[in-house]
Amino acid sequence: MLVSAGLVAATRPAIAATLCPRCYGLFGLGGDIYTDRRDTAYRRIVDEAESDIAAFYGDLKTRPRVLICSTAACYRRIGGGSERGKAFGTSALMLAPAGANRTIATHELSHVEFHERLGRTRADVPHWFDEGLAVLVSGDSRYLKPSSEADRCRLPYRKALPIVTEKWAAAVKGGTDQPYRQAACVVSRWASSHGGRTGVLELIATLRAGGTFGEAVDVSG
């Protein structure tokens, strides 16, 4: 077992860190939140993000372990890269210094909550929709206009629509933000015409009942 644990730590430090945060120099703030600095502001960030998720869905089904770093060195130590944050299934997520804020925390928690609600049907949902929904739930102003706007897209819909047929990994290669702007536009337009969270909950129910994503989500208009 010690050999296996050592191998995990050496080859996949992010997983090892989520399993044993204290082994990587992180302190517990309560509520399964760990940071490299004893600062209750980090706890508030997670509490606010969870509140945003609950407000969108009506309740909260997940409370994953959250690891937050205040320095780039800490984030590298726990296996992070150039991203602001990343989720690990439905059990844990990590936030880099640039991601230690309400918007990014809500974005990552959106992935966790959505995946938990989808269950085994998670694989049926394309990455662009998952990412666009996370932007919508977090209200990220980099990619969407304010909720007071009738059309929240920050680019013409015709320029956003191609994202639905692109491979997400290829689209985001090079670190461009454009795919997030496109995905957010398409998902926000679809959600607006389907009752917001009502449409998302109906989509989840449809998929869990055996329906297909293509039948449930028409974004051509």
Side-chain angles (χ1 to χ4, degrees):
M1 289 298 291
L2 289 176
V3 174
S4 297
L7 181 61
V8 169
T11 60
R12 305 191 72 178
I15 294 177
T18 60
L19 293 174
C20 182
R22 288 189 171 87
C23 299
Y24 285 76
L26 303 184
F27 309 102
L29 292 180
D32 223 8
I33 301 167
Y34 294 84
T35 75
D36 62 329
R37 192 172 70 190
R38 298 183 189 279
D39 188 341
T40 56
Y42 290 134
R43 176 63 187 270
R44 289 196 296 274
I45 287 171
V46 177
D47 287 344
E48 290 170 348
E50 288 182 340
S51 176
D52 291 339
I53 298 297
F56 183 84
Y57 282 102
D59 62 355
L60 191 66
K61 294 188 179 298
T62 58
R63 277 197 167 82
R65 174 166 290 178
V66 181
L67 277 56
I68 307 175
C69 280
S70 66
T71 68
C74 165
Y75 198 60
R76 288 194 300 270
R77 186 171 68 249
I78 66 174
S82 60
E83 70 283 340
R84 293 180 177 87
K86 58 182 176 182
F88 296 88
T90 60
S91 61
L93 63 88
M94 306 189 323
L95 297 175
N101 58 68
R102 182 174 183 170
T103 299
I104 303 303
T106 302
H107 181 110
E108 297 305 328
L109 283 172
S110 173
H111 290 313
V112 173
E113 184 73 15
F114 189 44
H115 295 173
E116 174 68 22
R117 289 171 180 268
L118 287 168
R120 294 181 179 179
T121 68
R122 168 187 171 186
D124 299 331
V125 177
H127 286 291
W128 66 263
F129 189 91
D130 192 4
E131 292 294 346
L133 179 62
V135 172
L136 178 63
V137 175
S138 65
D140 197 327
S141 60
R142 294 173 299 169
Y143 311 128
L144 283 177
K145 293 179 181 178
S147 58
S148 57
E149 298 280 346
D151 181 3
R152 302 187 66 184
C153 293
R154 288 198 175 277
L155 75 172
Y157 189 73
R158 61 181 176 78
K159 291 186 177 181
L161 198 54
I163 194 64
V164 307
T165 57
E166 291 184 40
K167 296 289 186 181
W168 184 259
V172 298
K173 190 175 182 179
T176 176
D177 281 351
Q178 184 72 350
Y180 289 92
R181 200 170 288 110
Q182 292 175 292
C185 175
V186 176
V187 173
S188 68
R189 177 77 67 88
W190 175 84
S192 177
S193 64
H194 288 78
R197 83 172 185 196
T198 299
V200 175
L201 292 173
E202 289 177 350
L203 169 61
I204 293 170
T206 296
L207 294 176
R208 292 184 69 102
T212 68
F213 180 84
E215 293 170 342
V217 178
D218 179 5
V219 296
S220 59

